[in-house]
Amino acid sequence: MTKLSFAAVALLASPLGAYAFAGINNAAPINAADVSRREAFGKVAALVGGVAGVAANPFPAAAVPSDETPKVTTRMGGLLEKYQDGGRGWAILAPSGWNKFEGEVGAYDTKWQDVVDNTENIKVSSTPVKSTTTSISAIGEDVKEVGEKLAAKRNAKLVAAEERLTEGILFYTFEFAIADGTHQLLQLSVNKGRIWSLDANSKEKRWAKRQEMYQNVLGSFMPKLS
């Protein structure tokens, strides 16, 4: 199985993606003001797809979970509603009543945003990978070490790192406390020749109110249609 460039994944997962190349293979630091989110996303696609790349150091081996975790189906009494993207082939339970935005190239495929506080949002993003890349374990088999490296790229503290196997797909889920006061859940997976990134964000002071809903949203996401 092809290993993904860790730098590419860090770039995909980070709003400060332009900095992910600094110091890697002697790459010059990149000024975020000079690199748009769209350009950064293009660099991710090139890196992950193998057009260009930075070789990832192998992580310590860890066993892939053998026990399946069921997909979350609770709608939390109507707080969540089913959404299905038939064209791209994925499904999720999304917050009811939130504003929904489609396809800002280089930023996200689909976004849901609270109608009052736009810092509370959920985004689904994806980018192609080589056909030989079939699992998110290609970025490293030790999920905690992967999370620590992502946190270091994002000026964040890693709160938790977990992996689960659902319907044959391996998911890595990370919880970050970011220096700008954002609390985030980030979930990564690979399926159908794409790496899928799902992030759920809120202000730190609002995290306790959003945590359960966000966890259910991430647990419901499936990058295929049943």
Side-chain angles (χ1 to χ4, degrees), residues 169-225:
I169 298 174
L170 181 64
F171 294 85
Y172 284 179
T173 304
F174 308 98
E175 182 178 344
F176 298 112
I178 304 174
D180 66 1
T182 301
H183 203 108
Q184 182 186 76
L185 288 179
L186 170 67
Q187 181 172 275
L188 300 173
S189 59
V190 170
N191 196 46
K192 299 184 303 185
R194 302 185 76 83
I195 181 170
W196 300 84
S197 171
L198 173 60
D199 62 87
N201 307 276
S202 79
K203 294 175 181 174
E204 188 68 53
K205 64 183 180 182
R206 290 272 299 166
W207 176 246
K209 295 182 180 295
R210 290 302 187 197
Q211 180 178 8
E212 182 182 5
M213 184 179 77
Y214 282 175
Q215 288 172 337
N216 284 325
V217 170
L218 267 65
S220 74
F221 177 73
M222 186 55 57
K224 65 178 182 178
L225 298 180

Side-chain angles (χ1 to χ4, degrees), residues 3-84:
K3 280 193 172 293
L4 294 177
S5 158
F6 186 84
V9 175
L11 191 61
L12 174 65
S14 174
L16 299 177
Y19 290 112
F21 293 96
I24 299 176
N25 280 11
N26 298 319
I30 298 174
N31 188 331
D34 297 330
V35 181
S36 71
R37 178 72 169 162
R38 181 175 303 180
E39 290 167 335
F41 195 83
K43 291 178 185 293
V44 173
L47 280 167
V48 177
V51 178
V54 181
N57 292 325
F59 291 86
V64 173
S66 57
D67 293 335
E68 285 262 343
T69 300
K71 181 177 67 175
V72 170
T73 58
T74 178
R75 299 195 182 190
M76 301 183 70
L79 289 178
L80 300 176
E81 60 186 9
K82 186 175 181 180
Y83 175 81
Q84 182 171 294

Side-chain angles (χ1 to χ4, degrees), residues 113-192:
Q113 183 175 287
D114 182 71
V115 296
V116 176
D117 186 349
N118 62 13
T119 66
E120 297 187 2
N121 57 73
I122 296 168
K123 299 187 294 294
V124 178
S125 307
S126 66
T127 197
V129 293
K130 287 184 176 180
S131 60
T132 50
T133 300
T134 58
S135 171
I136 195 60
S137 63
I139 65 171
E141 295 180 338
D142 187 319
V143 65
K144 184 176 180 181
E145 187 165 353
V146 172
E148 292 286 3
K149 288 180 178 288
L150 281 171
K153 293 290 181 188
R154 310 172 80 230
N155 195 20
K157 175 185 176 182
L158 178 66
V159 179
E162 299 176 349
E163 60 184 340
R164 63 179 169 86
L165 190 66
T166 301
E167 298 188 13
I169 298 174
L170 181 64
F171 294 85
Y172 284 179
T173 304
F174 308 98
E175 182 178 344
F176 298 112
I178 304 174
D180 66 1
T182 301
H183 203 108
Q184 182 186 76
L185 288 179
L186 170 67
Q187 181 172 275
L188 300 173
S189 59
V190 170
N191 196 46
K192 299 184 303 185

